[in-house]
Amino acid sequence: MKPSPISPTIDLDKNGAQHGHLRLPYSRDDSAWGSVMIPIAVVRNGDGPTALLTGGNHGDEYEGPLALFDLARTLDAEDVGGTVIIVPAMNYPAFRAATRTSPIDGGNLNRAFPGKPDGTVTEKIADYFQRELLPRADLVLDFHSGGKTLDFIPFCAAHILPDQALSARAFAAVEAFAAPWSMKMLEIDAVGMYDTAAEEMGKVFVTTELGGGGTATAATVRIARRGITNVLKHASILAGEIDRRPTRWLDMPSGDCFCFAEEDGLFETMVDLGGTVRHDQVVARIHPIGRTGVAPQEIRAKMDGILTARHFPGLVKAGDCASVIAVAG
């Protein structure tokens, strides 16, 4: 396989706190010999476990970048036992554009793994993480929220895996994160995911959904910052007691958790986030907007549970995820 075109401007194996970039050559109209410069920090203090902390996998999700830029600025190497690799905005072009996908190639980084060293910009970023950063990690914490199109209750999550021992280690890290909600998560589109790439390498992979709507709140950023510190203490990279908070465990047992719109229209949620839902209950309505006098489409729950996510913008399109329901774990 061809070598990655990405080169770090810092020494990933050097002790101390370093701040630099992953430089990806990108020739374009306004810069013939230009580059995409992805910020990275590495804080290392001798041998020990390595945590890879990432945000901005999707460019319109902000708790991760806020917490990770702050951590990179404040983390002291003397407090670390091992290595912390911090990439606050993985899909940097999307982050700068405030879009889910890259404005350069339309690439969704979280569906681009394992990537290609000679592919699109997004595929080159995925390839570098696949071959250079993930192999270094013992634990991966990747921050997500709902972006501009979804809103979630704030939860930390891991996947149920065929490797039960790996699952147990991941769920122990989720519990240490101590978000208000903790999720045993089901993906509806797992092909090409960063999560999958890490898990197939045997890495402990933990993720979040901390709100949404294309913004962040004071509460969700506090959850992110506290969660990072807790996970690093759990991994014995930082010393001290974990700040444990009550968490409610949820499970996504099947595809019945997801409700999708079948029409375009004006979206009305009938249940607020965290609310109890019963089977066959109307959880959302889609009102036609082309004419008056037409009844709305009703979206009904396929199971009992708790409303975990909802479509965020006022208008919805056919095929959009309208609601997500999870059950008490």
Side-chain angles (χ1 to χ4, degrees):
M1 183 177 291
K2 296 180 179 179
S4 171
I6 294 177
S7 57
T9 64
I10 56 176
D11 183 348
L12 301 182
D13 298 311
K14 183 180 177 180
N15 279 331
Q18 299 180 80
H19 304 276
H21 296 88
L22 302 175
R23 189 180 73 83
L24 169 57
Y26 170 49
S27 179
R28 55 192 188 270
D29 289 341
D30 64 347
S31 185
W33 285 2
S35 301
V36 175
M37 303 291 283
I38 304 169
I40 184 172
V42 177
V43 183
R44 187 175 190 273
N45 185 12
D47 295 331
T50 295
L52 175 58
L53 310 178
T54 52
N57 193 328
H58 296 130
D60 59 351
E61 303 173 3
Y62 296 108
E63 285 83 2
L66 283 166
L68 292 174
F69 274 115
D70 192 50
L71 179 72
R73 178 180 59 84
T74 59
L75 187 61
D76 192 327
E78 293 182 357
D79 296 328
V80 170
T83 304
V84 182
I85 302 171
I86 306 168
V87 185
M90 292 173 68
N91 194 344
Y92 195 62
F95 175 71
R96 289 295 300 267
T99 55
R100 179 176 177 85
T101 59
S102 174
I104 295 173
D105 54 29
N108 181 342
L109 181 58
N110 211 29
R111 301 295 184 274
F113 282 81
K116 298 177 182 178
D118 55 355
T120 65
V121 165
T122 301
E123 289 171 334
K124 290 173 181 176
I125 295 171
D127 171 73
Y128 187 82
F129 274 82
Q130 177 87 28
R131 290 198 287 155
E132 301 295 337
L133 295 185
L134 282 176
R136 294 173 175 267
D138 299 293
L139 179 147
V140 183
L141 172 56
D142 184 42
F143 282 95
H144 286 265
S145 63
K148 294 177 181 177
T149 64
L150 290 169
D151 197 12
F152 286 87
I153 59 173
F155 66 77
C156 185
H159 297 112
I160 298 174
L161 302 171
D163 185 337
Q164 295 182 5
L166 184 59
S167 277
R169 291 166 58 202
F171 287 126
V174 169
E175 187 170 18
F177 188 100
W181 304 82
S182 297
M183 181 74 75
K184 296 178 180 178
M185 198 168 185
L186 171 71
E187 296 290 349
I188 58 173
D189 180 19
V191 176
M193 291 185 70
Y194 182 43
D195 316 40
T196 305
E199 290 159 354
E200 287 178 347
M201 292 184 190
K203 310 298 182 179
V204 173
F205 189 93
V206 177
T207 188
T208 69
E209 296 289 357
L210 296 178
T215 188
T217 68
T220 54
V221 175
R222 282 195 298 268
I223 292 166
R225 286 176 171 148
R226 184 177 68 245
I228 291 171
T229 302
N230 281 346
V231 168
L232 291 177
K233 289 177 178 177
H234 171 76
S236 299
I237 294 173
L238 292 180
E241 295 293 323
I242 293 172
D243 182 3
R244 297 193 181 274
R245 304 287 179 97
T247 188
R248 295 180 63 184
W249 279 91
L250 297 172
D251 188 11
M252 298 174 67
S254 73
D256 286 346
C257 296
F258 299 92
C259 302
F260 294 92
E262 296 182 3
E263 304 288 345
D264 295 356
L266 183 63
F267 180 80
E268 178 188 9
T269 188
M270 303 299 290
V271 182
D272 287 326
L273 289 175
T276 300
V277 173
R278 299 298 179 195
H279 177 263
D280 205 41
Q281 178 180 342
V282 177
V283 292
R285 299 196 299 179
I286 301 175
H287 297 263
I289 56 176
R291 63 190 304 114
T292 60
V294 181
Q297 175 202 352
E298 294 182 338
I299 297 177
R300 295 181 177 271
K302 302 173 187 176
M303 57 191 291
D304 295 345
I306 294 169
L307 190 75
T308 304
R310 50 151 292 193
H311 182 77
F312 186 77
L315 296 179
V316 68
K317 296 179 181 178
D320 287 351
C321 183
S323 306
V324 181
I325 299 164
V327 298

